[in-house]
């Protein structure tokens, strides 16, 4: 790499496999502006993550691992990193700006540092409004303080953009770097098959936690059974609720209709998705839900809860997928029934879903938002 290029330093938690292609593309686009990406990872992994170790030979950017300590304060879904040693790396790299992922401990410290430093920083955030979440007075104060010092913002999508503006960000400084993955991998490696018989294959991929409320899918199956429609539910993932769900499937005499796969790596998913006719995402709350990007790119029709942030950017109800209330299993079952009985509609939804991702949520499109935020930040600094 050209060591004379100005650096853009990005701070994030771990090298998740789904982020590496994005960072590679960001670096390529930044190079066109005589900039290069330097990524600081808090650590190589942490306990809840089951990703296989990343191949660092795939990294097309400079990087450094801090070896941060982690904390979860009794909630394994929220892991916090200390980012010890971050400022030493910032001093060594001497970047033109820093991109911080979220409102972390490091973001607060960087904001404090900015009070006596000319180094500009950008906040990359997916936070959205949710009653009872992120709305304590102290947390709001911390976030407003961080936002007041940032020069640009990168939002996951519409809802997170609205959140940033409501917390004090200037709308003209907010850019959408749509939250996404290597969607091309799923588009190329998955073959969607319209079912012309039964059972109709339903699938869920994700963490099995109480917040995901996967047990609601059993209510949907029960409703479909009452219509005498045969379906099979494929559950891909692991988590604290796995044994509870297995026990419930046994209790409801659904073991012949539910298959548990456990956690699967990215490379294993296309083969499972290829046998599915509909993806169900019943979450009680997700600031985004990257699995929607993956399944829509693969051409799998989706029915998703409105509590997943991604639906507001990706789904046009009835055109490329469906938004439904999973607390009402009959509503979800009626949509599935419609797809089961109309192969042409199923195929149309499949094609529209794949086209939506291709046109709005590729890593190339996402990277443009990051680069626009960086250019905006550096232009403001030079003026």
């Amino acid at each position: 790499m050209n060591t004379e290029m100005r650096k853009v330093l990005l701070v994030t938690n771990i090298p998740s496999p789904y982020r590496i292609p994005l960072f590679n593309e960001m670096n390529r686009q930044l190079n066109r502006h005589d900039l290069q990406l330097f990524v600081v990872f808090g650590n190589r992994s942490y306990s809840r993550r089951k990703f296989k170790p990343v191949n660092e030979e795939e990294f097309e950017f400079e990087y450094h691992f801090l070896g941060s300590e982690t904390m979860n304060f009794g909630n394994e879904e929220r892991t916090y990193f200390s980012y010890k040693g971050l400022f030493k790396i910032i001093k060594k790299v001497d970047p033109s700006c820093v991109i911080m992922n979220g409102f972390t401990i490091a973001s607060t410290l960087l904001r404090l540092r900015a009070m006596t430093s000319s180094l500009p920083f950008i906040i990359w955030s997916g936070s959205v409004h949710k009653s009872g979440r992120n709305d304590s007075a102290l947390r709001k104060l911390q976030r407003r303080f961080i936002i007041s010092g940032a020069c640009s913002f990168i939002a996951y999508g519409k809802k997170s953009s609205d959140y940033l503006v409501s917390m004090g960000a200037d709308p003209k400084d907010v850019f959408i770097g749509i939250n996404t993955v290597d969607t091309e991998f799923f588009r190329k490696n998955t073959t969607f098959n319209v079912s012309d018989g039964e059972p109709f294959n339903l699938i869920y991929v994700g963490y099995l936690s109480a917040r995901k409320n996967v047990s609601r899918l059993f209510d949907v199956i029960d409703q479909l059974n009452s219509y005498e429609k045969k379906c099979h539910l494929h559950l891909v993932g692991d988590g604290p609720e796995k044994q509870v769900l297995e026990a419930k499937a046994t209790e409801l005499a659904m073991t012949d209709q539910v298959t548990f796969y456990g956690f699967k790596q990215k490379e294993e998913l296309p083969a499972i998705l290829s046998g599915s006719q509909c993806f169900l995402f019943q979450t009680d709350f997700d600031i985004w839900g990257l699995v929607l990007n993956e399944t829509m790119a693969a051409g799998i029709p989706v029915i998703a809860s409105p509590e997943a942030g991604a639906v507001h950017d990706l789904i046009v109800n009835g055109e490329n997928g469906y938004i439904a209330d999973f607390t009402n299993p009959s509503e979800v079952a009626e949509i599935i029934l419609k797809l089961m009985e109309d192969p042409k509609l199923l195929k149309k939804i499949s094609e529209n879903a794949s086209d939506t991702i291709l046109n709005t949520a590729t890593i190339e499109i996402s990277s443009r938002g990051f680069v626009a935020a960086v250019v905006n930040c550096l232009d403001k600094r030079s003026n």
Side-chain angles (χ1 to χ4, degrees):
M1 291 185 177
N2 182 358
T3 55
E4 295 182 359
M5 282 187 177
R6 294 178 296 166
K7 304 285 200 312
V8 174
L9 191 145
L10 185 150
V11 184
T12 190
N13 52 14
I14 63 171
S16 302
Y18 59 84
R19 290 296 190 204
I20 302 307
L22 174 65
F23 295 160
N24 286 340
E25 176 60 24
M26 284 170 55
N27 188 52
R28 287 191 287 269
Q29 292 191 24
L30 285 169
N31 286 172
R32 298 170 198 155
H33 295 269
D34 295 322
L35 297 164
Q36 71 181 79
L37 185 65
F38 190 109
V39 181
V40 175
F41 297 106
N43 212 322
R44 294 181 182 273
S45 187
Y46 59 97
S47 59
R48 189 168 73 83
R49 292 301 190 183
K50 294 187 176 182
F51 302 131
K52 66 182 181 181
V54 294
N55 179 3
E56 294 175 31
E57 292 182 359
E58 297 177 359
F59 294 10
E60 298 174 13
F61 48 86
E62 291 189 82
Y63 61 96
H64 177 81
F65 292 101
L66 289 174
S68 298
E69 298 173 352
T70 59
M71 304 153 280
N72 60 34
F73 302 111
N75 185 343
E76 66 174 9
E77 289 199 64
R78 295 186 190 178
T79 299
Y80 301 89
F81 289 74
S82 67
Y83 292 105
K84 183 179 180 180
L86 174 61
F87 293 114
K88 185 182 293 185
I89 292 299
I90 289 176
K91 184 176 180 180
K92 180 179 179 180
V93 174
D94 189 26
S96 294
C97 67
V98 178
I99 300 173
M100 293 298 308
N101 189 359
F103 300 98
T104 63
I105 295 170
S107 301
T108 304
L109 293 174
L110 192 67
R111 173 65 180 94
L112 290 168
R113 185 179 186 272
M115 297 174 73
T116 57
S117 168
S118 60
L119 177 64
F121 69 94
I122 298 168
I123 293 298
W124 172 26
S125 172
S127 292
V128 298
H129 286 290
K130 173 68 174 176
S131 179
R133 180 183 171 92
N134 297 339
D135 56 0
S136 72
L138 183 60
R139 180 164 288 186
K140 285 182 177 180
L141 183 64
Q142 178 235 17
R143 295 187 172 198
R144 288 183 184 277
F145 175 62
I146 292 171
I147 286 170
S148 68
C151 64
S152 290
F153 305 88
I154 303 161
Y156 279 16
K158 295 173 185 175
K159 289 290 185 179
S160 51
S161 175
D162 291 345
Y163 178 83
L164 286 166
V165 172
S166 74
M167 296 296 284
D170 188 327
K172 74 176 186 301
D173 292 327
V174 180
F175 300 84
I176 302 293
I178 193 161
N179 197 27
T180 196
V181 296
D182 182 8
T183 54
E184 190 66 7
F185 171 83
F186 291 93
R187 191 179 72 84
K188 285 185 173 180
N189 292 290
T190 309
T191 302
F192 175 69
N193 295 303
V194 175
S195 175
D196 56 1
E198 296 177 342
F200 194 77
N201 290 297
L202 308 169
I203 188 169
Y204 166 80
V205 181
Y207 193 53
L208 304 182
S209 67
R211 175 171 57 85
K212 301 291 187 177
N213 225 323
V214 179
S215 63
R216 284 185 178 149
L217 300 185
F218 297 149
D219 298 331
V220 174
I221 292 177
D222 187 57
Q223 189 70 47
L224 289 169
N225 287 342
S226 72
Y227 298 149
E228 298 185 350
K229 294 295 182 179
K230 293 182 180 178
C231 62
H232 195 95
L233 177 61
H234 303 263
L235 296 179
V236 183
D238 204 349
E241 291 290 298
K242 185 170 184 285
Q243 290 185 338
V244 174
L245 293 167
E246 288 173 333
K248 184 160 187 177
T250 300
E251 177 190 337
L252 297 173
M254 290 182 178
T255 52
D256 61 338
Q257 287 185 277
V258 181
T259 299
F260 290 85
Y261 291 79
F263 177 81
K264 295 296 180 183
Q265 299 290 346
K266 167 186 169 183
E267 294 76 12
E268 301 174 280
L269 291 177
I272 302 173
L273 289 172
S274 293
S276 307
Q277 280 77 52
C278 185
F279 177 80
L280 303 178
F281 196 53
Q282 69 302 315
T283 182
D284 282 348
F285 178 71
D286 269 77
I287 61 172
W288 187 261
L290 282 169
V291 69
L292 290 179
N293 300 59
E294 296 171 347
T295 51
M296 288 178 70
I300 310 299
V302 304
I303 304 174
S305 162
E307 299 303 324
V311 303
H312 304 284
D313 291 80
L314 301 182
I315 297 180
V316 179
N317 199 27
E319 293 294 322
N320 63 357
Y322 296 89
I323 303 171
D325 178 6
F326 279 80
T327 64
N328 183 356
S330 62
E331 178 184 337
V332 180
E334 288 291 340
I335 297 171
I336 295 171
L337 189 62
K338 186 191 304 184
L339 295 173
M340 291 176 74
E341 296 179 342
D342 191 343
K344 289 184 178 179
L345 174 63
L346 190 67
K347 189 171 187 294
K348 172 195 165 187
I349 298 293
S350 167
E351 292 172 348
N352 288 349
S354 185
D355 287 346
T356 294
I357 299 300
L358 187 62
N359 294 323
T360 65
T362 63
I363 57 174
E364 192 273 336
I365 292 170
S366 178
S367 295
R368 289 182 208 163
F370 282 81
V371 174
V374 169
V375 171
N376 177 69
C377 180
L378 298 181
D379 283 350
K380 287 172 66 177
R381 185 187 185 191
S382 63
N383 292 335

